[in-house]
Amino acid sequence: MIQMRDLSLAGQRLLIREDLNVPLSNGKILDNTRLKAVTDTIAFAHESGATVMIMSHLGRPEEGGIEPLLSLRPIASALSILLKMPVNFAENWIEGFEAKAGSITLFENVRFLKGEQSNDEGLAKKMASLCDIFVNDAFATAHRAHASTHGVAKYASVACSGPLLTAEITALNKALENPKRPLVAIVGGAKVSTKLEIIQSLLEKVDSLIIGGGIANTCLKASGKNIGASLCENDMIKTAEKIIKDTETNIPLPVDVVCGKKFAENEVGVRKKTCEVSPDDMILDLGEESLQQIEKIILSAGTILWNGPLGVFEFPNFAQGTKKLAQAIAKSEAFSIAGGGDTLSAITSFNVGDEISYISTGGGAFLEFVEGKTLPAIAMLESRS
Ligand code: AMP
């Protein structure tokens, strides 16, 4: 891929696709990790003398309409504070935009535009006509062929990779191509069906696989344990059976868990051996003994890949598993990479961000890259090199 840092940017109109899809509540930004991650790219482009235009999506609005709560306007102010320089906001931009030389402008949500998600050629051409150089810096959306990630790169005069996208790919390749062993992956969370596929491809690469959340529940059930009313995807049991039968990878099944009777914030957690779970129990976290096993594996790892919490870490009584895992990764000497929306919030809650070697901004893209899939937006940049 052509690299943004290798180009002469002075006087050029740069259109940068970032992923500014931050969690919002009534216009208030709940976590600004993704915004902090893009400031270096924007500052570099600005200091190099470029006129900077930024586009991103936010949430999942209905295409062709405008949802005020999913406007990027508050993000422009937040970026301006982080960058310590003015960031303008443009609501109407797609039909033509005259940016002041040397300015920085954030465009309104690309998903308000008809044709964005279907990668409409006409829309992609309009985007491409706004700039001299298109920069894709949005790893988190690289697994989607949308007009602002894929089509625009096809039609722009020059299409290149931004520093953040390049850093993400470099860090992931470091962990996947020639990792320091043992390579340990942790996969937790709730979206069982989307993650069992990644687990299958991880089994070919990793030495140990630690499972948590709904994935651990599904594997426990597949091993014949009673998991009561816990989160589990029954049509995934067959896949889970195959996974736990893998003899070449160390996959420790939880030996104890923390259960509640209700999925509620103030529910009290009761530690039980996995053979003691009753029909009305919900497994909401891993127990102390399982965590000790996990900590040992983490502390002897050479490389760690982490996606998904081990339990319902948002509820204080079920947060211990994810907290102890985060702390063990922080303590370990291994090269560690964490990715995925909820994993990032867990890292922020337990304040271990500085001790993790690389925090990927990608969720779905992170998983697909680890699976070895070709990400369409990256493939398009490669074809333009
Ligand atoms: P994901 O987006 O797949 O990474 O899932 C993250 C979510 O999984 C978090 O909001 C957790 O609260 C939830 N989660 C983790 N463990 C469990 C569990 N045992 N039961 C229900 N939800 C869980």
Side-chain angles (χ1 to χ4, degrees), residues 188-192 194-195 212-214 217 231 263 283-285 307-314 342-343:
K191 294 181 207 112
V192 180
T194 57
K195 297 196 186 179
N217 296 347
L231 172 76
F263 190 87
I283 301 173
L284 299 176
D285 198 10
N307 177 276
L310 294 185
V312 185
F313 72 97
E314 299 91 337
D342 282 296
T343 313

PDB file of all heavy atoms in Angstrom, residues 188-192 194-195 212-214 217 231 263 283-285 307-314 342-343, ligand 1:
ATOM      1  N   GLY A 188     -13.852 -14.124  24.624  1.00  0.00           N
ATOM      2  CA  GLY A 188     -15.009 -14.124  25.531  1.00  0.00           C
ATOM      3  C   GLY A 188     -16.138 -13.341  24.909  1.00  0.00           C
ATOM      4  O   GLY A 188     -16.155 -13.117  23.693  1.00  0.00           O
ATOM      5  N   GLY A 189     -17.078 -12.903  25.744  1.00  0.00           N
ATOM      6  CA  GLY A 189     -18.169 -12.069  25.243  1.00  0.00           C
ATOM      7  C   GLY A 189     -19.438 -12.846  24.969  1.00  0.00           C
ATOM      8  O   GLY A 189     -19.553 -14.030  25.309  1.00  0.00           O
ATOM      9  N   ALA A 190     -20.358 -12.149  24.318  1.00  0.00           N
ATOM     10  CA  ALA A 190     -21.709 -12.685  24.176  1.00  0.00           C
ATOM     11  C   ALA A 190     -22.036 -13.186  22.774  1.00  0.00           C
ATOM     12  O   ALA A 190     -22.898 -14.038  22.607  1.00  0.00           O
ATOM     13  CB  ALA A 190     -22.704 -11.594  24.577  1.00  0.00           C
ATOM     14  N   LYS A 191     -21.371 -12.645  21.746  1.00  0.00           N
ATOM     15  CA  LYS A 191     -21.763 -12.985  20.360  1.00  0.00           C
ATOM     16  C   LYS A 191     -21.135 -14.318  19.963  1.00  0.00           C
ATOM     17  O   LYS A 191     -20.149 -14.369  19.219  1.00  0.00           O
ATOM     18  CB  LYS A 191     -21.330 -11.882  19.406  1.00  0.00           C
ATOM     19  CG  LYS A 191     -22.059 -10.576  19.647  1.00  0.00           C
ATOM     20  CD  LYS A 191     -21.601  -9.524  18.646  1.00  0.00           C
ATOM     21  CE  LYS A 191     -21.757  -8.131  19.212  1.00  0.00           C
ATOM     22  NZ  LYS A 191     -20.484  -7.447  19.467  1.00  0.00           N
ATOM     23  N   VAL A 192     -21.723 -15.396  20.465  1.00  0.00           N
ATOM     24  CA  VAL A 192     -21.123 -16.726  20.334  1.00  0.00           C
ATOM     25  C   VAL A 192     -20.930 -17.132  18.870  1.00  0.00           C
ATOM     26  O   VAL A 192     -19.832 -17.510  18.454  1.00  0.00           O
ATOM     27  CB  VAL A 192     -21.993 -17.777  21.065  1.00  0.00           C
ATOM     28  CG1 VAL A 192     -21.395 -19.160  20.937  1.00  0.00           C
ATOM     29  CG2 VAL A 192     -22.142 -17.401  22.530  1.00  0.00           C
ATOM     30  N   THR A 194     -20.673 -15.502  16.107  1.00  0.00           N
ATOM     31  CA  THR A 194     -19.677 -14.778  15.313  1.00  0.00           C
ATOM     32  C   THR A 194     -18.258 -15.155  15.751  1.00  0.00           C
ATOM     33  O   THR A 194     -17.320 -15.011  14.993  1.00  0.00           O
ATOM     34  CB  THR A 194     -19.822 -13.247  15.466  1.00  0.00           C
ATOM     35  OG1 THR A 194     -19.725 -12.941  16.848  1.00  0.00           O
ATOM     36  CG2 THR A 194     -21.118 -12.736  14.917  1.00  0.00           C
ATOM     37  N   LYS A 195     -18.129 -15.620  16.993  1.00  0.00           N
ATOM     38  CA  LYS A 195     -16.767 -15.858  17.489  1.00  0.00           C
ATOM     39  C   LYS A 195     -16.308 -17.304  17.368  1.00  0.00           C
ATOM     40  O   LYS A 195     -15.109 -17.559  17.396  1.00  0.00           O
ATOM     41  CB  LYS A 195     -16.666 -15.377  18.928  1.00  0.00           C
ATOM     42  CG  LYS A 195     -16.900 -13.886  19.007  1.00  0.00           C
ATOM     43  CD  LYS A 195     -16.459 -13.280  20.271  1.00  0.00           C
ATOM     44  CE  LYS A 195     -16.872 -11.821  20.322  1.00  0.00           C
ATOM     45  NZ  LYS A 195     -16.485 -11.187  21.563  1.00  0.00           N
ATOM     46  N   GLY A 212     -14.269 -17.547  27.616  1.00  0.00           N
ATOM     47  CA  GLY A 212     -15.091 -16.958  28.684  1.00  0.00           C
ATOM     48  C   GLY A 212     -16.457 -16.621  28.126  1.00  0.00           C
ATOM     49  O   GLY A 212     -16.766 -16.919  26.964  1.00  0.00           O
ATOM     50  N   GLY A 213     -17.288 -15.971  28.958  1.00  0.00           N
ATOM     51  CA  GLY A 213     -18.604 -15.496  28.515  1.00  0.00           C
ATOM     52  C   GLY A 213     -19.487 -16.601  27.947  1.00  0.00           C
ATOM     53  O   GLY A 213     -19.421 -17.765  28.350  1.00  0.00           O
ATOM     54  N   GLY A 214     -20.280 -16.223  26.952  1.00  0.00           N
ATOM     55  CA  GLY A 214     -21.219 -17.163  26.332  1.00  0.00           C
ATOM     56  C   GLY A 214     -20.498 -18.312  25.635  1.00  0.00           C
ATOM     57  O   GLY A 214     -21.061 -19.408  25.494  1.00  0.00           O
ATOM     58  N   ASN A 217     -19.781 -20.908  28.234  1.00  0.00           N
ATOM     59  CA  ASN A 217     -21.030 -21.601  28.579  1.00  0.00           C
ATOM     60  C   ASN A 217     -21.385 -22.646  27.517  1.00  0.00           C
ATOM     61  O   ASN A 217     -21.756 -23.773  27.847  1.00  0.00           O
ATOM     62  CB  ASN A 217     -22.204 -20.609  28.676  1.00  0.00           C
ATOM     63  CG  ASN A 217     -22.019 -19.600  29.791  1.00  0.00           C
ATOM     64  OD1 ASN A 217     -21.150 -19.775  30.653  1.00  0.00           O
ATOM     65  ND2 ASN A 217     -22.810 -18.541  29.792  1.00  0.00           N
ATOM     66  N   LEU A 231     -26.429 -17.849  29.269  1.00  0.00           N
ATOM     67  CA  LEU A 231     -26.352 -17.495  27.849  1.00  0.00           C
ATOM     68  C   LEU A 231     -25.606 -18.597  27.094  1.00  0.00           C
ATOM     69  O   LEU A 231     -24.496 -18.986  27.472  1.00  0.00           O
ATOM     70  CB  LEU A 231     -25.584 -16.173  27.703  1.00  0.00           C
ATOM     71  CG  LEU A 231     -25.250 -15.745  26.284  1.00  0.00           C
ATOM     72  CD1 LEU A 231     -26.477 -15.191  25.584  1.00  0.00           C
ATOM     73  CD2 LEU A 231     -24.145 -14.709  26.275  1.00  0.00           C
ATOM     74  N   PHE A 263     -30.302 -11.527  35.518  1.00  0.00           N
ATOM     75  CA  PHE A 263     -29.304 -10.716  34.819  1.00  0.00           C
ATOM     76  C   PHE A 263     -29.543  -9.276  35.251  1.00  0.00           C
ATOM     77  O   PHE A 263     -30.312  -8.543  34.647  1.00  0.00           O
ATOM     78  CB  PHE A 263     -29.486 -10.878  33.307  1.00  0.00           C
ATOM     79  CG  PHE A 263     -28.375 -10.272  32.499  1.00  0.00           C
ATOM     80  CD1 PHE A 263     -27.228 -10.994  32.217  1.00  0.00           C
ATOM     81  CD2 PHE A 263     -28.474  -8.971  32.024  1.00  0.00           C
ATOM     82  CE1 PHE A 263     -26.191 -10.425  31.478  1.00  0.00           C
ATOM     83  CE2 PHE A 263     -27.447  -8.391  31.284  1.00  0.00           C
ATOM     84  CZ  PHE A 263     -26.312  -9.130  31.014  1.00  0.00           C
ATOM     85  N   ILE A 283     -24.740 -18.440  34.606  1.00  0.00           N
ATOM     86  CA  ILE A 283     -23.293 -18.255  34.790  1.00  0.00           C
ATOM     87  C   ILE A 283     -22.946 -16.877  34.223  1.00  0.00           C
ATOM     88  O   ILE A 283     -23.134 -16.630  33.027  1.00  0.00           O
ATOM     89  CB  ILE A 283     -22.494 -19.344  34.042  1.00  0.00           C
ATOM     90  CG1 ILE A 283     -22.892 -20.728  34.558  1.00  0.00           C
ATOM     91  CG2 ILE A 283     -20.993 -19.089  34.172  1.00  0.00           C
ATOM     92  CD1 ILE A 283     -22.277 -21.881  33.762  1.00  0.00           C
ATOM     93  N   LEU A 284     -22.470 -15.996  35.106  1.00  0.00           N
ATOM     94  CA  LEU A 284     -22.199 -14.628  34.648  1.00  0.00           C
ATOM     95  C   LEU A 284     -20.723 -14.247  34.763  1.00  0.00           C
ATOM     96  O   LEU A 284     -20.329 -13.146  34.377  1.00  0.00           O
ATOM     97  CB  LEU A 284     -23.085 -13.628  35.421  1.00  0.00           C
ATOM     98  CG  LEU A 284     -24.603 -13.830  35.244  1.00  0.00           C
ATOM     99  CD1 LEU A 284     -25.398 -12.865  36.102  1.00  0.00           C
ATOM    100  CD2 LEU A 284     -25.028 -13.690  33.783  1.00  0.00           C
ATOM    101  N   ASP A 285     -19.929 -15.149  35.324  1.00  0.00           N
ATOM    102  CA  ASP A 285     -18.482 -14.870  35.405  1.00  0.00           C
ATOM    103  C   ASP A 285     -17.754 -16.179  35.700  1.00  0.00           C
ATOM    104  O   ASP A 285     -18.376 -17.183  36.068  1.00  0.00           O
ATOM    105  CB  ASP A 285     -18.199 -13.851  36.529  1.00  0.00           C
ATOM    106  CG  ASP A 285     -16.824 -13.191  36.394  1.00  0.00           C
ATOM    107  OD1 ASP A 285     -16.173 -13.371  35.340  1.00  0.00           O
ATOM    108  OD2 ASP A 285     -16.415 -12.493  37.341  1.00  0.00           O
ATOM    109  N   ASN A 307      -9.846 -10.832  22.854  1.00  0.00           N
ATOM    110  CA  ASN A 307     -11.113 -10.259  22.372  1.00  0.00           C
ATOM    111  C   ASN A 307     -12.267 -10.794  23.212  1.00  0.00           C
ATOM    112  O   ASN A 307     -12.519 -11.997  23.220  1.00  0.00           O
ATOM    113  CB  ASN A 307     -11.348 -10.610  20.893  1.00  0.00           C
ATOM    114  CG  ASN A 307     -12.688 -10.093  20.409  1.00  0.00           C
ATOM    115  OD1 ASN A 307     -13.705 -10.741  20.607  1.00  0.00           O
ATOM    116  ND2 ASN A 307     -12.706  -8.926  19.819  1.00  0.00           N
ATOM    117  N   GLY A 308     -12.920  -9.905  23.892  1.00  0.00           N
ATOM    118  CA  GLY A 308     -14.155 -10.260  24.616  1.00  0.00           C
ATOM    119  C   GLY A 308     -13.935 -10.509  26.097  1.00  0.00           C
ATOM    120  O   GLY A 308     -12.981 -11.157  26.501  1.00  0.00           O
ATOM    121  N   PRO A 309     -14.862  -9.952  26.926  1.00  0.00           N
ATOM    122  CA  PRO A 309     -14.748 -10.119  28.383  1.00  0.00           C
ATOM    123  C   PRO A 309     -15.064 -11.542  28.848  1.00  0.00           C
ATOM    124  O   PRO A 309     -15.790 -12.267  28.176  1.00  0.00           O
ATOM    125  CB  PRO A 309     -15.785  -9.127  28.924  1.00  0.00           C
ATOM    126  CG  PRO A 309     -16.770  -8.942  27.827  1.00  0.00           C
ATOM    127  CD  PRO A 309     -16.025  -9.132  26.532  1.00  0.00           C
ATOM    128  N   LEU A 310     -14.526 -11.916  30.004  1.00  0.00           N
ATOM    129  CA  LEU A 310     -14.773 -13.269  30.531  1.00  0.00           C
ATOM    130  C   LEU A 310     -16.128 -13.386  31.205  1.00  0.00           C
ATOM    131  O   LEU A 310     -16.633 -14.487  31.420  1.00  0.00           O
ATOM    132  CB  LEU A 310     -13.681 -13.654  31.538  1.00  0.00           C
ATOM    133  CG  LEU A 310     -12.260 -13.809  30.985  1.00  0.00           C
ATOM    134  CD1 LEU A 310     -11.320 -14.312  32.070  1.00  0.00           C
ATOM    135  CD2 LEU A 310     -12.243 -14.768  29.795  1.00  0.00           C
ATOM    136  N   GLY A 311     -16.685 -12.247  31.615  1.00  0.00           N
ATOM    137  CA  GLY A 311     -17.984 -12.257  32.291  1.00  0.00           C
ATOM    138  C   GLY A 311     -18.699 -10.938  32.072  1.00  0.00           C
ATOM    139  O   GLY A 311     -18.263 -10.104  31.268  1.00  0.00           O
ATOM    140  N   VAL A 312     -19.805 -10.747  32.805  1.00  0.00           N
ATOM    141  CA  VAL A 312     -20.583  -9.509  32.666  1.00  0.00           C
ATOM    142  C   VAL A 312     -19.875  -8.433  33.510  1.00  0.00           C
ATOM    143  O   VAL A 312     -20.291  -8.117  34.626  1.00  0.00           O
ATOM    144  CB  VAL A 312     -22.043  -9.726  33.103  1.00  0.00           C
ATOM    145  CG1 VAL A 312     -22.881  -8.478  32.854  1.00  0.00           C
ATOM    146  CG2 VAL A 312     -22.646 -10.900  32.332  1.00  0.00           C
ATOM    147  N   PHE A 313     -18.793  -7.894  32.941  1.00  0.00           N
ATOM    148  CA  PHE A 313     -17.916  -7.002  33.726  1.00  0.00           C
ATOM    149  C   PHE A 313     -18.582  -5.675  34.050  1.00  0.00           C
ATOM    150  O   PHE A 313     -18.138  -4.946  34.924  1.00  0.00           O
ATOM    151  CB  PHE A 313     -16.600  -6.768  32.974  1.00  0.00           C
ATOM    152  CG  PHE A 313     -16.750  -5.877  31.777  1.00  0.00           C
ATOM    153  CD1 PHE A 313     -16.457  -4.520  31.849  1.00  0.00           C
ATOM    154  CD2 PHE A 313     -17.227  -6.384  30.582  1.00  0.00           C
ATOM    155  CE1 PHE A 313     -16.618  -3.688  30.755  1.00  0.00           C
ATOM    156  CE2 PHE A 313     -17.391  -5.562  29.476  1.00  0.00           C
ATOM    157  CZ  PHE A 313     -17.088  -4.215  29.564  1.00  0.00           C
ATOM    158  N   GLU A 314     -19.706  -5.386  33.361  1.00  0.00           N
ATOM    159  CA  GLU A 314     -20.415  -4.128  33.635  1.00  0.00           C
ATOM    160  C   GLU A 314     -21.100  -4.174  35.005  1.00  0.00           C
ATOM    161  O   GLU A 314     -21.405  -3.139  35.590  1.00  0.00           O
ATOM    162  CB  GLU A 314     -21.487  -3.853  32.568  1.00  0.00           C
ATOM    163  CG  GLU A 314     -20.968  -3.701  31.130  1.00  0.00           C
ATOM    164  CD  GLU A 314     -20.930  -5.017  30.350  1.00  0.00           C
ATOM    165  OE1 GLU A 314     -20.876  -6.099  30.977  1.00  0.00           O
ATOM    166  OE2 GLU A 314     -20.934  -4.953  29.109  1.00  0.00           O
ATOM    167  N   ASP A 342     -16.198  -3.956  23.460  1.00  0.00           N
ATOM    168  CA  ASP A 342     -16.371  -4.200  24.892  1.00  0.00           C
ATOM    169  C   ASP A 342     -15.046  -4.455  25.585  1.00  0.00           C
ATOM    170  O   ASP A 342     -14.881  -4.151  26.761  1.00  0.00           O
ATOM    171  CB  ASP A 342     -17.301  -5.388  25.121  1.00  0.00           C
ATOM    172  CG  ASP A 342     -18.733  -4.958  24.931  1.00  0.00           C
ATOM    173  OD1 ASP A 342     -19.187  -4.115  25.713  1.00  0.00           O
ATOM    174  OD2 ASP A 342     -19.373  -5.432  23.989  1.00  0.00           O
ATOM    175  N   THR A 343     -14.105  -5.015  24.839  1.00  0.00           N
ATOM    176  CA  THR A 343     -12.785  -5.254  25.416  1.00  0.00           C
ATOM    177  C   THR A 343     -12.135  -3.906  25.731  1.00  0.00           C
ATOM    178  O   THR A 343     -11.515  -3.740  26.784  1.00  0.00           O
ATOM    179  CB  THR A 343     -11.926  -6.064  24.414  1.00  0.00           C
ATOM    180  OG1 THR A 343     -12.722  -7.139  23.933  1.00  0.00           O
ATOM    181  CG2 THR A 343     -10.667  -6.590  25.047  1.00  0.00           C
TER     182      THR A 343
HETATM  183  P1  AMP B   1     -19.130  -9.181  22.730  1.00  0.00           P
HETATM  184  O1  AMP B   1     -19.687  -7.951  22.085  1.00  0.00           O
HETATM  185  O2  AMP B   1     -19.472 -10.448  22.041  1.00  0.00           O
HETATM  186  O3  AMP B   1     -17.642  -9.047  23.019  1.00  0.00           O
HETATM  187  O4  AMP B   1     -19.856  -9.300  24.140  1.00  0.00           O
HETATM  188  C1  AMP B   1     -19.618  -8.435  25.197  1.00  0.00           C
HETATM  189  C2  AMP B   1     -20.682  -8.584  26.220  1.00  0.00           C
HETATM  190  O5  AMP B   1     -20.726  -9.914  26.672  1.00  0.00           O
HETATM  191  C3  AMP B   1     -20.492  -7.733  27.457  1.00  0.00           C
HETATM  192  O6  AMP B   1     -21.465  -6.724  27.469  1.00  0.00           O
HETATM  193  C4  AMP B   1     -20.678  -8.707  28.618  1.00  0.00           C
HETATM  194  O7  AMP B   1     -21.520  -8.216  29.632  1.00  0.00           O
HETATM  195  C5  AMP B   1     -21.324  -9.907  27.961  1.00  0.00           C
HETATM  196  N1  AMP B   1     -21.068 -11.167  28.661  1.00  0.00           N
HETATM  197  C6  AMP B   1     -19.882 -11.662  29.035  1.00  0.00           C
HETATM  198  N2  AMP B   1     -20.031 -12.814  29.695  1.00  0.00           N
HETATM  199  C7  AMP B   1     -21.355 -13.084  29.742  1.00  0.00           C
HETATM  200  C8  AMP B   1     -22.145 -14.132  30.311  1.00  0.00           C
HETATM  201  N3  AMP B   1     -21.597 -15.146  30.960  1.00  0.00           N
HETATM  202  N4  AMP B   1     -23.490 -14.056  30.172  1.00  0.00           N
HETATM  203  C9  AMP B   1     -24.063 -13.009  29.516  1.00  0.00           C
HETATM  204  N5  AMP B   1     -23.364 -11.991  28.958  1.00  0.00           N
HETATM  205  C10 AMP B   1     -22.029 -12.019  29.074  1.00  0.00           C
END
